[in-house]
Amino acid sequence: MQAPSVGGVMLPRGNGDTIRLSRGASLTDFAEKIGANPASLVAVMMNLGEMVTATQSVSDDTLTMLGEEMNYVVQIVSPEEEDRELLESFDIEFGEDEGGEEALVSRPPVVTVMGHVDHGKTRLLDAIRKTNVVAGEAGGITQGIGAYQVGTEVNGEDRKITFIDTPGHEAFTAMRARGAKSTDIAILVVAANDGVMPQTIEALNHAKAAGVPIVVAVNKIDVEGADPVKVRGQLTEFGLVAEEYGGDTMFVDISAKQGLHIDSLLEAVVLTADASLDLRANPNQDAQGIAIESHLDRGRGAVSTVLVQRGTLRIGDTVVVGDAYGRVRAMLDDKGNNVEEATPSTPVLVLGLTNVPGAGDNLIVVDEDRTARQIAEKRAARERNAAFAKRVRRVSLEDLDKVLKAGLVQELNLIIKGDASGAVEALESSLLQLDVGEEVDIRVLHRGVGAVTESDIDLAMGSDAIVIGYNVRAAGRAAQMAEREGVDVRYYSVIYQAIEEIEAALKGLLKPEYEEVELGTAEIREVFRSSKLGNIAGVLIRSGEVKRNTKARLLRDGKVIAENLNIEGLRRFKDDVTEIREGYEGGINLGNFNDIKIDDVIATYEMREKPRA
Ligand code: GDP
């Protein structure tokens, strides 16, 4: 066979062999796999029109493309897969109970409390704790360790329930986005005087996407004007139909403040668990679990609250939790008592780890200290590599056609955020009516009014969804997070354009020539009036950098107020400058556009030509 060359550089050439590379691998990693010189791969990339250094980590697409060029089939290995393989190489399997059916013993359900802000999540978690104290616990709960367990009597039987003590769905989705399942049942708190609100729906959609059954706690029934019946009606629209109306969701009217009907709520949780879940685990094996919350304690070192999921965790066990490891020196339960062991669904604070693991990291008991250390070190190294892989493209509109053809996904998951509920609904129903053939389903995982939030990005990460912002933008750190995690967020200001683009993408016809790249955001702290220049915005650069002569849009409360503006003037103190970076203050002049207010955000961007894969 003739040695192929590109631009005079001899190319290593495969025979269609498959090579496996971790996500975020560099050309050097690639070269090592095929026994080639990294410099030759750099040359190949250059010929393909991309400047890449040998050690820089590159996107999945680049690795695949490079492979194709040299006749290799590249298989990208996800971090989750890699971890599974790492554990396998030590003969460890995470997530499966050892032994057969007969080894399984029932375990308490693990519950997360979710709902709209101010609807009483924290108060409810407190109330549930107190119920338990009244039930005869000595000492009471003094320690907030991130989770606690309570007892309740159902049909004459003593039953336990474990509560994750961080209200809200952020923790829940953050863990899920990392592939960890911490929760069996969600309690959705809805204030009866306020009804269903945006975060109620958000929480509900997160729970649904995770396949977690929901029990609805209709709270604040003591408040005048409380209308629990209305809440039932509202939630029907979202597929939660109360049992008394022929559905299968249990609704319990409570007052977290007065401690009313908390017992009934606990009973509903147990009954829902019994009816729809098979919660059993093998308590007689090496423990496995998940870290819920960890921190560095001044006196005690790294401490981590872990939820045991199977097996029994004991003092003296050698454990590895994420990239931390060590021997369990001591364990404390949710009442601050020292305990010797923890069985499935029990949360305990573990002392003795080398460093602080992350939320959602798995805990595994291993036979030898050496094994624990090796696993932890391998994971730490991988984390470092992955951190370099900045753009982990998940599903994006550009490559949708390819992924669909490859059979990698059969459905297009969407999250729709907009500036008004009417527009969001209109967009959703038009999208759902798109005729896209038999093979693909369009699923709207979540819709809502308001800016694209970190929680939306979390949901998108967990479900490989594309986010659509209609007349709204990403709020706070959501844009950076999307960029980092490779979540495709699309902004539109015309409904039919959104529809056309999605339709085109599904048919593989999308041909975007330019893409918008966010450069930086500036928060307006002050407005100065100048007779000569009009209004000048005194700003703090919140992210990225703001450059003179770039395009900008103005956001107020996450909504787009003005498009197509230009950064005409940029100043630091008295000097004209060409750019200002994150963390610095300065002055921005938007030309003859003067409608600016304190707290508005100026988001700047640039149109860059986009290579079509
Ligand atoms: P969260 O944001 O969902 O955690 O809400 P909180 O638990 O902080 O409660 C918000 C406010 O509602 C607080 O002032 C609580 O005291 C109050 N609250 C919570 N539950 C009840 C209730 O059942 N009745 C009344 N009247 N007030 C409640």
Side-chain angles (χ1 to χ4, degrees):
M1 189 173 78
Q2 202 186 343
S5 79
V6 173
V9 180
M10 285 301 172
L11 268 193
R13 196 156 170 80
N15 292 315
D17 301 341
T18 300
I19 56 165
R20 290 160 58 83
L21 288 168
S22 7
R23 178 157 291 157
S26 66
L27 299 191
T28 305
D29 299 328
F30 198 143
E32 203 172 289
K33 280 269 155 78
I34 60 173
N37 179 352
S40 64
L41 300 196
V42 174
V44 176
M45 285 310 298
M46 219 181 295
N47 275 295
L48 290 169
E50 265 189 65
M51 281 295 296
V52 181
T53 64
T55 52
Q56 168 190 352
S57 76
V58 294
S59 70
D60 291 6
D61 284 353
T62 304
L63 293 172
T64 312
M65 181 172 72
L66 184 59
E68 274 166 17
E69 191 64 22
M70 300 184 302
N71 201 22
Y72 284 101
V73 178
V74 172
Q75 224 177 52
I76 311 279
V77 189
S78 71
E80 293 82 25
E81 244 172 281
E82 229 173 330
D83 201 56
R84 198 174 327 119
E85 287 168 15
L86 169 67
L87 294 176
E88 259 168 31
S89 71
F90 288 94
D91 244 346
I92 298 169
E93 203 178 336
F94 181 84
E96 292 288 331
D97 288 87
E98 288 168 16
E101 277 287 307
E102 64 288 348
L104 301 177
V105 174
S106 76
R107 63 166 179 87
V110 180
V111 178
T112 301
V113 175
M114 308 202 262
H116 196 71
V117 64
D118 272 349
H119 279 198
K121 299 180 290 293
T122 312
R123 194 74 192 237
L124 174 60
L125 281 162
D126 285 346
I128 294 170
R129 257 202 208 100
K130 284 196 196 114
T131 325
N132 195 49
V133 177
V134 175
E137 286 287 342
I141 294 169
T142 50
Q143 302 269 321
I145 65 165
Y148 63 81
Q149 205 171 56
V150 298
T152 186
E153 203 185 291
V154 179
N155 298 331
E157 234 183 288
D158 281 332
R159 304 285 295 264
K160 285 179 176 165
I161 306 175
T162 302
F163 282 90
I164 307 273
D165 202 4
T166 32
H169 51 264
E170 287 78 9
F172 174 80
T173 34
M175 284 194 220
R176 194 169 91 81
R178 306 189 47 205
K181 189 166 192 289
S182 56
T183 300
D184 300 312
I185 290 188
I187 292 184
L188 183 64
V189 178
V190 189
N193 57 338
D194 205 16
V196 170
M197 298 299 276
Q199 285 162 20
T200 313
I201 301 161
E202 205 168 285
L204 185 156
N205 286 332
H206 278 95
K208 269 199 203 158
V212 169
I214 297 171
V215 172
V216 182
V218 183
N219 192 27
K220 305 200 186 184
I221 53 164
D222 59 297
V223 176
E224 219 185 279
D227 192 348
V229 175
K230 185 167 160 210
V231 173
R232 286 168 173 71
Q234 287 176 320
L235 282 176
T236 308
E237 283 176 41
F238 298 96
L240 287 187
V241 183
E243 276 190 334
E244 56 266 40
Y245 297 127
D248 52 13
T249 304
M250 298 192 69
F251 280 63
V252 184
D253 296 341
I254 62 162
S255 163
K257 189 174 179 184
Q258 301 186 344
L260 278 180
H261 308 320
I262 304 295
D263 284 345
S264 316
L265 180 63
L266 297 182
E267 185 179 0
V269 168
V270 171
L271 294 177
T272 300
D274 288 350
S276 49
L277 301 167
D278 175 23
L279 301 178
R280 293 184 299 162
N282 177 359
N284 301 310
Q285 63 168 79
D286 283 342
Q288 294 190 342
I290 175 173
I292 301 173
E293 200 180 89
S294 314
H295 65 274
L296 203 57
D297 184 288
R298 239 197 277 154
R300 298 185 286 200
V303 299
S304 177
T305 297
V306 304
L307 184 67
V308 177
Q309 293 180 311
R310 62 195 65 81
T312 299
L313 184 64
R314 299 191 171 83
I315 292 185
D317 278 348
T318 297
V319 295
V320 51
V321 194
D323 62 359
Y325 65 98
R327 280 216 191 168
V328 178
R329 187 151 42 89
M331 293 194 288
L332 299 176
D333 67 9
D334 48 12
K335 289 149 201 101
N337 303 318
N338 274 293
V339 291
E340 298 286 319
E341 55 176 48
T343 50
S345 293
T346 311
V348 276
L349 188 75
V350 171
L351 277 62
L353 295 175
T354 46
N355 58 312
V356 181
D361 280 346
N362 55 33
L363 166 137
I364 302 165
V365 168
V366 297
D367 293 338
E368 290 182 54
D369 294 355
R370 197 167 48 116
T371 310
R373 195 189 64 239
Q374 285 175 348
I375 294 174
E377 281 170 359
K378 290 224 160 97
R379 282 174 171 169
R382 197 182 53 220
E383 285 280 306
R384 276 193 301 275
N385 287 340
F388 288 124
K390 277 190 62 189
R391 290 171 68 91
V392 198
R393 273 276 154 218
R394 286 157 194 268
V395 175
S396 74
L397 276 194
E398 276 80 32
D399 61 16
L400 184 61
D401 176 56
K402 248 190 316 178
V403 242
L404 287 174
K405 283 206 182 109
L408 296 176
V409 294
Q410 271 80 35
E411 54 191 17
L412 170 60
N413 290 333
L414 296 173
I415 293 170
I416 306 178
K417 295 302 281 283
D419 59 344
S421 59
V424 171
E425 277 156 29
L427 187 53
E428 177 182 3
S429 66
S430 321
L431 286 173
L432 290 178
Q433 277 164 24
L434 276 182
D435 181 15
V436 288
E438 305 258 296
E439 315 82 68
V440 196
D441 279 331
I442 297 189
R443 259 205 328 163
V444 176
L445 294 183
H446 175 59
R447 71 197 74 62
V449 174
V452 175
T453 61
E454 289 175 58
S455 159
D456 294 327
I457 305 298
D458 256 336
L459 181 59
M461 282 164 63
S463 321
D464 265 342
I466 291 172
V467 183
I468 294 180
Y470 176 74
N471 272 333
V472 292
R473 314 294 301 180
R477 295 196 309 269
Q480 283 152 284
M481 182 174 167
E483 173 77 16
R484 185 178 68 237
E485 300 295 344
V487 171
D488 193 7
V489 185
R490 300 260 155 176
Y491 301 111
Y492 300 97
S493 48
V494 185
I495 286 191
Y496 79 77
Q497 201 180 0
I499 297 165
E500 265 184 14
E501 237 184 74
I502 302 245
E503 189 170 18
L506 285 165
K507 292 182 175 158
L509 298 172
L510 191 67
K511 287 195 180 58
E513 286 165 351
Y514 286 91
E515 81 179 322
E516 194 183 299
V517 180
E518 181 170 308
L519 298 175
T521 55
E523 184 183 304
I524 302 187
R525 293 295 191 77
E526 247 176 297
V527 176
F528 304 103
R529 293 176 213 288
S530 147
S531 51
K532 204 166 62 179
L533 298 169
N535 288 348
I536 309 281
V539 300
L540 171 68
I541 311 301
R542 276 283 177 215
S543 65
E545 54 187 14
V546 169
K547 292 187 187 158
R548 187 134 45 101
N549 287 328
T550 51
K551 283 181 168 280
R553 56 173 63 86
L554 191 77
L555 309 176
R556 194 164 291 159
D557 300 325
K559 290 184 189 164
V560 179
I561 299 291
E563 281 276 6
N564 254 327
L565 305 172
N566 202 15
I567 306 286
E568 303 222 334
L570 195 61
R571 283 197 155 193
R572 241 179 98 56
F573 303 109
K574 296 247 173 298
D575 303 325
D576 279 320
V577 291
T578 50
E579 58 186 49
I580 307 182
R581 271 185 299 138
E582 180 172 339
Y584 291 92
E585 297 187 328
I588 293 179
N589 173 10
L590 292 172
N592 34 22
F593 182 82
N594 284 314
D595 173 25
I596 53 173
K597 289 199 177 130
I598 289 179
D599 286 342
D600 284 356
V601 172
I602 299 174
T604 70
Y605 58 94
E606 197 170 70
M607 301 306 290
R608 282 197 201 147
E609 195 175 337
K610 181 163 201 156
R612 270 290 266 154

